[in-house]
Amino acid sequence: MKMKKLALIGSCISMALGALGMLYCLPFLFSPLLEDIVGAGFPFVGGAILFAAGLISCSINNKKLRPAQPISYA
C-alpha cells in the first residue's frame, strides 16, 4: 500500500512539473524570432511527455482489478 501511494505522489509530481514546464515555455512560442521558437519547442515537448507519462502512471495506478474470469471456449 505504501508503494502505491508513493507511485501516485510521483505521478502527480510528474504531471505538475510537466504542466509548469509547458506553461513556462508557452510565451516564447509566440515570439517572432526563430531562435526563441526552437529554444522553447523542445522543452515544451519534454513537458508534454512528462505530463503524459504522469497521467498514464496515475491511471494505471488507480485501475481497479477485477477477479479473474474463467475462459470459456464455447
Side-chain angles (χ1 to χ4, degrees):
M1 193 66 171
K2 200 172 213 179
M3 288 299 288
K4 188 172 183 176
K5 189 171 185 177
L6 184 64
L8 182 65
I9 290 171
S11 62
C12 289
I13 289 173
S14 174
M15 287 173 44
L17 290 177
L20 285 174
M22 287 191 300
L23 287 175
Y24 179 75
C25 292
L26 193 62
F28 295 104
L29 292 174
F30 292 109
S31 174
L33 299 174
L34 184 62
E35 295 85 7
D36 285 344
I37 295 171
V38 172
F42 291 121
F44 188 85
V45 171
I49 291 171
L50 270 175
F51 188 83
L55 188 63
I56 290 170
S57 172
C58 186
S59 65
I60 289 173
N61 194 19
N62 288 329
K63 181 172 64 171
K64 293 189 177 20
L65 297 176
R66 290 184 273 160
Q69 299 291 329
I71 300 173
S72 67
Y73 297 104

